[in-house]
Amino acid sequence: MLPWKHAVKRIRLSLYFTRTNILAAMEFRTSFIVQVIGMLVNDAAVAMLWYIFFQSFPGVNGWGWQDTAILMATSTLSFSFVFIFFKGAGDIAVIVRQGELDYYLAFPADVLWHVSASRSRIDAIGDALFAFGIFFLFTPVTFVTFAVFLIASLAAAGVMYGFTVVTQSLAFYTPNIEDASRDLFELLLGFSFYPQNIFTGGIRAVTIFVIPAFFTATIPHRLIAHFAWPALGVLVLAAIIAVTVAILFFRYSLRRYESGNLMVTRG
Amino acid sequence: MNARIIEVRDLRKRFRAKQKQAGLRGSFTALVRPEFREIEAVSGISFDVNPGERIAFIGPNGAGKSTTIKMLTGILTPTSGSIRCAGYDPSRERKKLAHSIGTVFGQKSQLWYHLPAVDTYELFAKIYEIPRVQYRERLGYLVEAFEIAPFLATPVRKLSLGERMRCEIVASLLHRPSILFLDEPTIGLDVVAKLGIREVIRELNEREGVTIFLTSHDAGDIESLAERTMVVNHGRLMFDGATEAFRAQFISTKTVELHLEEDTHAFACRVGTVTQKSKHSITIELAADAKSEAIEELLSYTVEHFTVRDINIFEPPMEEIIRRMYAQVPKWHTTNDRSVDTTPEPIPLIS
Amino acid sequence: MRYSKYLSVAKINVTERLHHSSNLAGRALVVMVRIWIFTTLYTATYRTIHATTIHGIDVAGIVWMLVFAQSFRQSGWPNTAAIIETEVKSGTLAYSINRPYSYLLFHFWSYFGRVGPNLLINIGSAALAGIIFVGWPSISLASAGAGLVLLAMSFVLDFFCACAIGLLAFWTEDTSAFQWLYFKGQLIFGGLVLPLALFPDALRRVAEWLPFPAMFYSPARLLVSYDGALFKWFLLMQVAWTSVAILMAVFLFRRGVRNVEMNGG
């Protein structure tokens, strides 16, 4: 099969998975709505906090409320891209520990893709709504910034996905990694909501090499505020590298998978 | 000439298990200097399966049964030995193999819990890349054969266990596998549902020639479904032959329980051994190889001398049969391997 | 020795928490990084407006306030509201009513059992970060005393609020929406990211009436520098809101239990 045709098929199937998950979630309408609205409110609360902050202070080294609005829009959108469509990536550690990977190995499909695509985070729909809401309400929208917003968030989602897969796949090596990988992810989100220009020197190095917030937050914000081709190039390259590393690392680690049965004695 | 659908040669699987001493200090030591112990879950299994066979693959928990099935289906990679399954090497050609086999795990559902089964089928059709027309035709056939039409559109969580299991099996048959692996397909089902599932599996095998590879703790499943039985214990194949032969060789006793109107102390039939006796009931163990004459004799004696309130005839449960089998041949597997002694290695719990 | 059983309840929770020490170490690292980010943020902010103090508080003071407030806030974990919600929904609550102890008191002491070790570890790691990034705090005897009083009360207040939220599960299928609102209230007005001292004046005066600053912000604020008027105000707010929360929790509990008895769960 031609590679692009293969990719199109994958994307269509991913969407089909997401649709199925959303349908399943809608079986419980109230809970569905509570989750989506709840996340929307959650994000709005964080935004409100920063709004108050910038009421007290005119800015931080020239970074103002509008910059934070852009930052939050792109961070939450890339988050929702990953977790609406590929939430399973964030569950790899649990799935491996519980031996649930058996299920995915029985299918004629790529395991990483199947695990990732088969689950969806319903509340991430709230994040997506929030992202578009704050983007249209508080940033000067043009056709170009909107296009950049979508593209940059998508690329940032690639980096976020790669980071998630790699940290979660550590579960193939040591069983009690779930909390640690969740903490690392939380740090990534943590870095993504602060004025990015305060991260210099040591912290900047950390956001480039350890917790890739430089790629999931700093560059997307900069691109939307002042577009520049080289920055876009760097971001897309980072996304490609992150996803490739994730695929290779997962594939390599999968060889260590030892299923669940020997470890759990069931009656 | 090579018509075999499964070929297994000297299959072995070793796991490395981390050892940990109890307590906080043990945790710390394990962190700094982990100690490993090798456990051989499967130690040299060989067998062949012809297309269309119905096989029961049995053994106690931790015997290496699941590990073997997981290697056959490509979930685990063998430490050594070779497997051909439906013409593929499972560990190298997992995706191709997946198109030719179906798996049903009694304790793990593959159906989307909150959605009707038909939604999962649609999804599977896409993953297995089944063309639309073929899928429709296939689904129509299976829905009829398994009689699941009435609840096809009901969310799975609202189905009874028996209904759900039928839907599970249909899910694993959509892509026309040539081998169906069933792991405890009747676990937790009531008698009627069990019978239904067995019938459907047998019919499937007869109509489509699907090879059935089944594990179960239920002697009834084995006897009604499998024409051939393989027994594994301690990672070795201890028996491989016709289920009839297995019965004849190892199901050596039948237990007859009699509940009588009169006092049992006058009971004096010399057939079998009395294992339990109370005021009005008596339990007698008969040798199963003594054909039906012993039972006949026992029953006619009883009817003649007593008023019978109730009779039960039991066969020993599978675990018991395997235990006896093991006791009968204590040196079965010690001939060519130093690593296995007669006391079974307990499977360590890894937390 | 009627109360010794509650002591045992607290103790078993302490042991349980200690068993998850590697888990806590991970959390501690997250807290350290967060304090690092805050130091950078507020240093840059103060520099931008060319100020060394705002309302008498310098960057170090702000960072220490956040160190304290976040450590206090984190120490109540796992979330009481969620625990109670689960028990209400699973029917465990109805079952435990027959046990010879008060349901609310049982959870109250479980909460404090968790708070103890969590507090030590959270304060330990966050304070280490504080010392590294902005130096030792200057805590006077007065501020320490006031801070400790407010701290104890703030845990009581948080517990009963969370309790009331969890008990709402008697009536709604899912209390997570209420839990969210509660946490977000804490996030915005509880001084976890932006101390109330840095709010615009008008907004601060309104916010000070809310229960959220009376929780973990109040001891954090007083520990950093003593302010008699503020201490009295926070104490007043705590007493008022705690009374409301206790009344709510007890009311919801009684109502809920009666509902179960009448409708059979």
Side-chain angles (χ1 to χ4, degrees):
Chain A
M1 206 190 294
L2 290 166
W4 67 269
K5 236 179 155 177
H6 191 71
V8 167
K9 207 198 84 190
R10 278 278 179 83
I11 292 169
R12 280 182 53 189
L13 246 177
S14 303
L15 292 176
Y16 194 80
F17 264 121
T18 305
R19 197 187 80 113
T20 311
N21 278 317
I22 292 176
L23 279 180
M26 292 233 229
E27 277 279 307
F28 302 95
R29 192 159 309 211
T30 333
S31 160
F32 179 83
I33 293 169
V34 165
Q35 284 188 62
V36 173
I37 306 267
M39 191 47 84
L40 196 63
V41 171
N42 173 59
D43 294 343
V46 177
M48 186 173 157
L49 186 67
W50 284 107
Y51 187 78
I52 296 172
F53 183 94
F54 288 108
Q55 292 297 306
S56 294
F57 305 103
V60 183
N61 292 342
W63 177 289
W65 159 245
Q66 204 178 78
D67 294 291
T68 288
I70 292 175
L71 182 71
M72 287 195 71
T74 170
S75 295
T76 46
L77 187 63
S78 45
F79 177 87
S80 62
F81 276 145
V82 175
F83 286 90
I84 292 176
F85 300 107
F86 296 115
K87 187 237 176 182
D91 297 336
I92 291 172
V94 183
I95 292 173
V96 167
R97 178 174 55 81
Q98 296 179 341
E100 302 277 333
L101 217 51
D102 292 11
Y103 168 81
Y104 298 96
L105 283 162
F107 285 92
D110 181 73
V111 178
L112 177 58
W113 167 78
H114 191 190
V115 169
S116 305
S118 66
R119 300 183 178 196
S120 303
R121 213 178 133 158
I122 299 304
D123 56 13
I125 297 170
D127 285 310
L129 293 177
F130 169 81
F132 289 111
I134 194 170
F135 189 77
F136 281 105
L137 285 177
F138 295 105
T139 75
V141 188
T142 66
F143 181 75
V144 175
T145 59
F146 185 65
V148 174
F149 169 53
L150 292 182
I151 294 167
S153 302
L154 197 61
V159 177
M160 204 182 272
Y161 176 75
F163 179 72
T164 309
V165 170
V166 170
T167 52
Q168 291 279 324
S169 297
L170 294 174
F172 285 107
Y173 303 89
T174 167
N176 299 318
I177 202 73
E178 281 151 49
D179 292 318
S181 51
R182 193 205 51 217
D183 288 342
L184 283 172
F185 191 79
E186 222 167 88
L187 276 182
L188 179 64
L189 288 186
F191 276 113
S192 304
F193 289 129
Y194 295 90
Q196 298 294 305
N197 62 353
I198 64 169
F199 300 138
T200 53
I203 295 194
R204 163 112 321 153
V206 169
T207 63
I208 294 176
F209 298 108
V210 188
I211 312 284
F214 183 72
F215 304 103
T216 63
T218 316
I219 297 190
H221 160 264
R222 199 180 289 171
L223 276 172
I224 297 164
H226 314 280
F227 180 77
W229 285 105
L232 183 66
V234 169
L235 181 58
V236 170
L237 191 68
I240 292 171
I241 291 174
V243 173
T244 311
V245 167
I247 293 171
L248 295 178
F249 185 64
F250 181 86
R251 205 170 280 170
Y252 176 78
S253 308
L254 187 60
R255 284 193 241 150
R256 298 181 53 106
Y257 180 60
E258 291 202 337
S259 192
N261 259 54
L262 208 77
M263 308 194 179
V264 189
T265 48
R266 291 216 187 91
Chain B
M1 236 341 260
N2 190 354
R4 305 226 159 93
I5 195 154
I6 303 176
E7 264 186 34
V8 176
R9 290 289 171 276
D10 196 30
L11 186 64
R12 281 165 200 275
K13 178 71 186 177
R14 273 190 291 274
F15 289 104
R16 245 154 61 102
K18 212 183 221 171
Q19 294 287 97
K20 181 185 129 14
Q21 306 299 316
L24 199 64
R25 231 180 108 177
S27 307
F28 188 69
T29 323
L31 202 67
V32 181
R33 197 162 40 83
E35 281 174 36
F36 291 97
R37 193 177 65 160
E38 293 245 310
I39 300 155
E40 194 160 67
V42 174
S43 24
I45 285 182
S46 304
F47 61 85
D48 291 318
V49 176
N50 293 315
E53 274 194 277
R54 292 195 304 257
I55 290 167
F57 194 69
I58 61 177
N61 286 324
K65 188 171 63 170
S66 303
T67 308
T68 307
I69 290 188
K70 282 176 184 168
M71 288 191 281
L72 289 177
T73 51
I75 291 170
L76 287 174
T77 310
T79 308
S80 69
S82 73
I83 307 176
R84 291 305 281 178
C85 192
Y88 301 109
D89 175 345
S91 59
R92 295 228 180 82
E93 301 163 292
R94 186 187 60 78
K95 284 192 222 172
K96 284 184 195 159
L97 176 71
H99 280 291
S100 319
I101 60 171
T103 47
V104 177
F105 294 100
Q107 285 154 313
K108 278 180 190 167
S109 178
Q110 46 191 338
L111 301 170
W112 248 242
Y113 190 61
H114 295 303
L115 292 177
V118 69
D119 286 356
T120 304
Y121 299 159
E122 291 277 333
L123 191 69
F124 280 19
K126 290 193 160 61
I127 300 178
Y128 281 100
E129 300 165 35
I130 309 169
R132 224 43 219 157
V133 183
Q134 276 182 38
Y135 163 68
R136 289 260 168 74
E137 197 184 315
R138 180 68 173 165
L139 184 64
Y141 164 72
L142 290 171
V143 164
E144 200 185 324
F146 283 72
E147 296 168 8
I148 57 171
F151 41 85
L152 202 56
T154 315
V156 170
R157 67 170 187 282
K158 291 180 183 160
L159 300 184
S160 77
L161 202 53
E163 290 167 344
R164 209 194 76 195
M165 190 48 69
R166 276 191 273 165
C167 290
E168 294 275 355
I169 298 176
V170 168
S172 56
L173 290 173
L174 288 170
H175 59 288
R176 297 173 184 272
S178 47
I179 312 172
L180 183 62
F181 290 93
L182 296 146
D183 190 12
E184 301 282 359
T186 63
I187 197 158
L189 299 187
D190 61 59
V191 183
V192 179
K194 271 184 190 175
L195 290 178
I197 295 283
R198 286 174 195 158
E199 192 184 317
V200 137
I201 293 173
R202 212 168 32 229
E203 201 177 295
L204 189 85
N205 164 267
E206 276 156 16
R207 274 213 232 171
E208 301 198 342
V210 178
T211 308
I212 305 289
F213 202 94
L214 162 102
T215 76
S216 181
H217 279 94
D218 187 318
D221 280 354
I222 296 157
E223 286 184 38
S224 64
L225 275 179
E227 53 211 359
R228 173 175 163 196
T229 296
M230 285 189 236
V231 183
V232 268
N233 204 4
H234 305 305
R236 302 177 158 271
L237 206 52
M238 298 179 66
F239 177 89
D240 181 1
T243 305
E244 267 309 303
F246 174 68
R247 278 183 60 84
Q249 197 171 341
F250 295 106
I251 304 187
S252 53
T253 58
K254 264 195 168 72
T255 307
V256 181
E257 201 179 89
L258 299 164
H259 297 276
L260 309 172
E261 198 63 51
E262 295 85 359
D263 204 307
T264 54
H265 77 264
F267 192 91
C269 180
R270 282 165 304 146
V271 180
T273 353
V274 175
T275 52
Q276 252 178 49
K277 203 171 182 180
S278 67
K279 196 161 166 46
H280 291 287
S281 62
I282 187 162
T283 309
I284 296 149
E285 210 176 85
L286 293 175
D289 54 354
K291 303 216 179 67
S292 52
E293 287 157 28
I295 274 210
E296 234 176 87
E297 201 183 324
L298 174 69
L299 293 186
S300 56
Y301 167 83
T302 314
V303 175
E304 203 174 306
H305 296 89
F306 298 89
T307 317
V308 179
R309 258 196 280 162
D310 200 4
I311 300 182
N312 290 313
I313 301 176
F314 303 104
E315 280 175 1
M318 199 45 65
E319 298 277 353
E320 173 71 13
I321 297 169
I322 291 164
R323 199 182 59 75
R324 284 191 196 180
M325 178 171 150
Y326 193 65
Q328 269 183 37
V329 275
K331 301 286 177 201
W332 190 287
H333 56 276
T334 52
T335 44
N336 59 358
D337 200 312
R338 26 108 222 125
S339 68
V340 188
D341 58 11
T342 39
T343 47
E345 286 264 295
I347 303 299
L349 271 167
I350 302 168
S351 57
Chain C
M1 284 280 99
R2 270 187 62 210
Y3 289 97
S4 68
K5 60 187 167 193
Y6 296 115
L7 202 66
S8 312
V9 169
K11 216 169 108 188
I12 194 116
N13 275 278
V14 171
T15 335
E16 154 80 15
R17 287 278 83 199
L18 284 177
H19 269 282
H20 295 96
S21 46
S22 66
N23 180 343
L24 290 174
R27 298 261 81 183
L29 185 74
V30 174
V31 171
M32 295 267 283
V33 174
R34 207 184 280 153
I35 299 302
W36 187 19
I37 296 177
F38 281 130
T39 311
T40 321
L41 172 69
Y42 284 105
T43 310
T45 308
Y46 272 56
R47 199 180 293 141
T48 307
I49 59 165
H50 306 289
T52 47
T53 61
I54 298 171
H55 298 299
I57 300 164
D58 59 1
V59 173
I62 296 291
V63 170
W64 275 104
M65 251 186 241
L66 297 171
V67 164
F68 290 132
Q70 295 210 349
S71 312
F72 300 157
R73 165 72 186 80
Q74 290 281 330
S75 301
W77 220 250
N79 174 9
T80 303
I83 294 173
I84 292 182
E85 176 184 357
T86 319
E87 295 200 357
V88 170
K89 282 202 276 193
S90 69
T92 321
L93 185 147
Y95 167 74
S96 62
I97 287 165
N98 296 330
R99 296 223 187 115
Y101 54 64
S102 148
Y103 180 79
L104 293 181
L105 274 183
F106 172 83
H107 276 286
F108 183 77
W109 288 105
S110 299
Y111 175 86
F112 273 90
R114 293 195 294 271
V115 162
N118 281 354
L119 193 59
L120 281 180
I121 289 168
N122 290 337
I123 273 281
S125 51
L128 185 67
I131 293 164
I132 292 171
F133 299 128
V134 295
W136 290 87
S138 52
I139 298 176
S140 69
L141 210 61
S143 65
L148 288 178
V149 170
L150 291 176
L151 177 61
M153 280 295 286
S154 66
F155 280 128
V156 178
L157 175 57
D158 175 53
F159 169 76
F160 281 103
C161 288
C163 210
I165 292 170
L167 289 169
L168 287 175
F170 276 118
W171 295 272
T172 69
E173 178 189 328
D174 190 353
T175 70
S176 54
F178 298 101
Q179 291 180 38
W180 254 325
L181 285 178
Y182 180 62
F183 293 147
K184 293 312 132 186
Q186 285 192 340
L187 180 76
I188 299 175
F189 302 108
L192 297 176
V193 174
L194 181 63
L196 241 62
L198 300 184
F199 270 41
D201 282 336
L203 186 60
R204 191 186 65 236
R205 274 194 292 274
V206 179
E208 277 175 349
W209 284 88
L210 293 171
F212 305 110
M215 288 172 192
F216 306 115
Y217 172 68
S218 61
R221 169 68 188 80
L222 266 292
L223 277 168
V224 167
S225 75
Y226 183 76
D227 177 331
L230 206 54
F231 175 53
K232 276 178 212 146
W233 171 259
F234 278 137
L235 204 58
L236 180 72
M237 280 293 113
Q238 284 190 333
V239 171
W241 280 111
T242 306
S243 316
V244 172
I246 291 178
L247 286 176
M248 280 292 287
V250 172
F251 173 76
L252 290 173
F253 178 75
R254 295 217 173 125
R255 261 301 167 83
V257 171
R258 196 174 349 136
N259 263 15
V260 171
E261 278 166 358
M262 283 188 331
N263 306 325

